[in-house]
């Protein structure tokens, strides 16, 4: 049994881990959504001794091991739940791609919190506007272009990064498209025109049986303005 520790009211970075468990059909406990789960999560964040304490959620616990950092969690669980090819070179490639996804996720977060996570969005709105303009004009197209090229060169026949079976990075790219569509619906319409493979990958993942049933289930939290992908209409203005 895997225990996932993540904030109970948002998809956030925890969602990348949830999607992996859901696609694999592996049971997991979303601890902080259970009664007294937040107490358990805070205790682990404050723990001393033994393995390093996590700096921040998400983290997982399994067989007495505590593993933090989204990309490390996925790298750790994926071979155990058949969500990455076995060959070492492919596992490393998947980890590298996932770290790039996490870089993108951080930049998405910084669109609404460009100055400090300790300030409210309303206290950094002007900077958020500038940051978002740059993100949508330069950074999102650069990340999209990168993933388009990797999809084209790694598995030209696709539909997934490593060919016919999805790996955890495919699920994360699905989530990135979902999240950006929620946050920036109008800008995404334009961005998607140059991201044909990424959109096709998203659509294939969305059609997967377990993902489809997860998305319709109460386990899938809705996007909201506390998470990473937030919809503030004033940030999604077309230039
Ligand atoms: N690099 C870490 C970032 C973890 C992170 O920033 N977690 C957020 C929620 S998504 C958090 O709770 N941060 C609290 C903090 O940074 O103080 C990862 O990818 O897991």
């Amino acid at each position: 049994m895997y225990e996932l520790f993540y904030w109970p009211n948002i998809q956030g970075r925890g969602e990348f881990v949830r999607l992996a468990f859901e696609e694999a059909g592996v049971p997991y406990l979303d601890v902080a959504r259970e009664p007294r789960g937040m107490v358990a999560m805070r205790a682990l964040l404050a723990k001393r001794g033994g393995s390093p304490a996590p700096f921040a959620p998400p983290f997982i616990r399994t067989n007495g091991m505590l593993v933090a950092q989204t990309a490390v969690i996925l790298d750790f669980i994926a071979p155990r739940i058949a969500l990455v090819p076995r060959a070492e070179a492919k596992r490393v490639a998947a980890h590298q791609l996932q770290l790039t996804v996490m870089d993108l996720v951080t930049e998405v977060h910084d669109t609404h919190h460009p100055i400090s996570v300790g300030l409210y969005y309303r206290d950094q709105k002007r900077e958020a506007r500038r940051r978002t303009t740059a993100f949508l004009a330069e950074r999102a197209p650069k990340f999209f272009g990168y993933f388009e090229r990797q999809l084209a060169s790694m598995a030209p026949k696709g539909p997934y990064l490593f060919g016919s079976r999805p790996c955890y990075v495919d699920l994360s790219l699905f989530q990135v498209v979902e999240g950006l569509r929620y946050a920036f619906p109008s800008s995404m319409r334009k961005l998607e025109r140059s991201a044909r493979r990424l959109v096709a990958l998203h659509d294939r993942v969305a059609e997967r049986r377990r993902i489809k049933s997860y998305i319709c289930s109460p386990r899938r939290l809705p996007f909201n303005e506390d998470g990473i992908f937030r919809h503030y209409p004033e940030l999604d203005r077309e230039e």
Side-chain angles (χ1 to χ4, degrees), residues 76-89:
F76 172 75
I77 61 171
R80 292 166 168 77
I81 61 176
L83 271 185
V84 74
R86 278 165 204 252
E88 186 181 43

Side-chain angles (χ1 to χ4, degrees), residues 6-7 10 12-14 55-58 68-71 102 117 228:
Y6 194 65
W7 304 113
I10 59 169
R13 289 178 174 86
F55 174 74
Q69 291 288 350
T70 313
M102 300 324 293
V117 282
I228 290 172

Side-chain angles (χ1 to χ4, degrees), residues 67-78:
V67 183
Q69 291 288 350
T70 313
V72 176
I73 296 169
L74 291 166
D75 180 51
F76 172 75
I77 61 171

Side-chain angles (χ1 to χ4, degrees), residues 104 107-112 121 128-129 131-133 135-136 140 144 176-192 228-238:
L104 168 55
E107 294 202 24
V108 173
H109 173 270
D110 291 350
T111 59
H112 48 78
Y121 165 64
R129 177 76 194 123
R131 184 71 184 245
T132 304
T133 301
F135 173 77
L136 293 172
F144 277 23
V176 162
V177 171
E178 286 281 292
L180 288 173
R181 280 181 180 173
Y182 172 78
F184 307 112
S186 137
S187 309
M188 267 300 271
R189 275 194 288 279
K190 197 165 147 203
L191 282 166
E192 286 185 25
I228 290 172
F229 298 100
R230 301 186 185 191
H231 180 59
Y232 295 120
E234 64 274 20
L235 296 184
D236 188 30
R237 264 192 341 227
E238 288 282 2

